[in-house]
Amino acid sequence: HKQDAPTITVVTCKAALINHKGQLLLLRRTETAPRRPLEWDLVGGLWDKGAETFEQTLKREAHEETGMDIRELWLHRSIPELLPDKTYSLRVLFIGKVGHDKVELSREHDMFTWAGIHDIDVYELPLHQHAVAIAALKQFGREPDRPTS
């Protein structure tokens, strides 16, 4: 007999965004955030089904959350997760580039930072976000300039 296709009830799109200096953008959620208050996060949010593509979701969210425009965007991976009600959530993770590092935070976040590969662990991102952050920094990150003696 034919098996029904899995039902995906929520799609979250996140992007590890790298600036022209090879640094990763991290945002800190406010203390009133409904999920993960005061935790560090990548840019992104919920996909508006039927109204936009995953890439359009990220470009909209990046603009809303930071005032920035994404220049380039590549799909990194998608991760399905079985929920207690037997439906699925889908996390769609991208790597992207932004042209500058001027951030204008929305009310969703209270702080931001530009991180390098050597200090990313301090921010304790969720595992799936940490993995895409490391991939983005390995691909596009640069070592900080060290003074030469």
Side-chain angles (χ1 to χ4, degrees), residues 42-62:
L42 298 176
V43 166
L46 295 176
W47 174 55
D48 187 358
K49 184 179 180 179
E52 58 191 3
T53 64
F54 297 153
E55 292 85 354
Q56 289 167 333
T57 296
L58 281 169
K59 289 178 179 183
R60 173 181 54 78
E61 289 285 347

Side-chain angles (χ1 to χ4, degrees), residues 96-139:
K97 285 187 174 181
V98 291
H100 60 84
D101 51 14
K102 185 176 182 289
V103 175
E104 298 169 21
L105 288 177
S106 71
R107 291 192 202 136
E108 292 179 59
H109 302 94
D110 64 2
M111 197 182 297
F112 73 92
T113 191
W114 291 98
I117 200 156
H118 296 295
D119 47 21
I120 186 73
D121 291 347
V122 173
Y123 298 97
E124 298 182 351
L125 290 170
L127 194 57
H128 63 282
Q129 289 189 28
H130 185 268
V132 70
I134 293 294
L137 286 164
K138 282 184 175 176
Q139 187 168 1

Side-chain angles (χ1 to χ4, degrees), residues 6-23:
T7 302
I8 297 172
T9 53
V10 62
V11 177
T12 307
C13 299
K14 293 283 182 178
L17 298 180
I18 304 289
N19 67 11
H20 63 285
K21 298 175 190 169
Q23 299 165 310

Side-chain angles (χ1 to χ4, degrees), residues 38 94 131:
L38 296 177
F94 286 81

